[in-house]
């Protein structure tokens, strides 16, 4: 499980995705009582009732399972394998192996008392070629993850696109290097089916 810091580039940048086990927790009776808005008893900042304490991740950084269940190659797979791009030559092939260990990850979130989890969907996992039919095994993984979160009372928040493109997509005439049609080409590009 990844718990990004304020300067790690892994969070939303708006201060709403925070991991803070020291402030929030769950007990056998359920969620711990949250302090009211304003200064707490020790004079430090407290958070409003209903504030969602959570963590966030990005698919390529945690899932691993790079060739499992029909996942296609990603632009990140290509980038990480190019000599000199990543210190030590590390790749996301295994990463934290959250694809296989998501139950453990969710149990850790529950143990920390988190109420929310923002995760991204790997486009190459759910649509390996970038277009065409969906990969049911990839969709099933995300359904299992959402079911596990729900079983632990943790709200899932899905980021549909987090820079994890199918490898070939940016090379097509109708896509810019970001995977989206440049405005000048959009009218001539076929709509995804």
């Amino acid at each position: 499980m990844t718990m990004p810091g304020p300067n790690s580039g892994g969070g939303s940048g708006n201060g709403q995705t925070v991991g803070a086990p020291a402030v929030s927790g769950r007990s056998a009776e359920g969620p711990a009582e949250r302090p009211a808005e304003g200064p707490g008893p020790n004079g430090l900042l407290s958070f409003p009732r209903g504030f969602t304490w959570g963590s966030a991740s990005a698919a390529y950084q945690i899932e691993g399972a790079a060739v499992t269940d029909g996942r296609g190659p990603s632009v990140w797979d290509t980038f990480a394998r190019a000599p000199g791009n990543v210190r030590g030559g590390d790749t996301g092939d295994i990463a934290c192996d959250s694809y296989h260990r998501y139950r453990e990850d969710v149990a850790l979130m529950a143990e920390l008392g988190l109420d929310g989890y923002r995760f991204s969907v790997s486009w190459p996992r759910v649509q390996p070629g970038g277009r065409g039919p969906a990969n049911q095994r990839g969709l099933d993984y995300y359904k299992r993850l959402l079911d596990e979160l729900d079983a632990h009372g943790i709200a899932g928040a899905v980021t549909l696109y987090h820079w994890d493109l199918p490898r070939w997509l940016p090379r097509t005439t109708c896509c810019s290097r970001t995977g989206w049609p440049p405005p000048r080409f959009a009218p001539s590009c076929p709509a995804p089916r």
Side-chain angles (χ1 to χ4, degrees), residues 12-18 47 51:
S12 63
N14 62 9
Q16 294 179 356
T17 303
V18 180
F47 293 86
F51 184 87

Side-chain angles (χ1 to χ4, degrees), residues 76-122:
W76 284 110
D77 294 322
T78 303
F79 177 84
R81 283 176 177 72
N85 280 348
V86 179
R87 187 184 319 198
D90 293 334
T91 69
D93 290 359
I94 299 172
C96 300
D97 199 25
S98 191
Y99 187 84
H100 297 107
R101 302 178 70 177
Y102 68 92
R103 287 183 185 92
E104 295 169 59
D105 293 343
V106 173
L108 286 170
M109 291 178 221
E111 186 179 323
L112 290 170
L114 302 183
D115 300 316
Y117 177 52
R118 196 275 303 155
F119 64 95
S120 66
V121 171
S122 170

Side-chain angles (χ1 to χ4, degrees), residues 5 19 22 32 35-36 38 46 75 80 86 90 92 111 131 134 173 192:
S46 60
V75 293
V86 179
D90 293 334
E111 186 179 323
R131 294 177 191 249
T173 24

Side-chain angles (χ1 to χ4, degrees), residues 140-193:
D140 290 345
Y141 162 70
Y142 294 109
K143 180 172 185 337
R144 289 189 306 270
L145 173 59
L146 286 165
D147 288 346
E148 192 72 16
L149 290 166
D150 187 53
H152 285 83
I154 299 170
V158 179
T159 299
L160 294 177
Y161 175 68
H162 192 129
W163 305 104
D164 194 6
L165 290 172
R167 181 174 64 203
W168 71 270
L169 197 57
R171 296 178 181 158
T172 65
T173 24
C174 289
C175 291
S176 69
R177 63 184 181 85
T178 63
W180 305 107
R184 66 183 183 275
F185 293 126
S188 62
C189 293
R193 299 191 196 281

Side-chain angles (χ1 to χ4, degrees), residues 55-71:
S55 63
S57 66
Y60 185 77
Q61 296 170 346
I62 70 156
E63 286 181 8
V67 294
T68 301
D69 289 340
R71 180 189 175 274

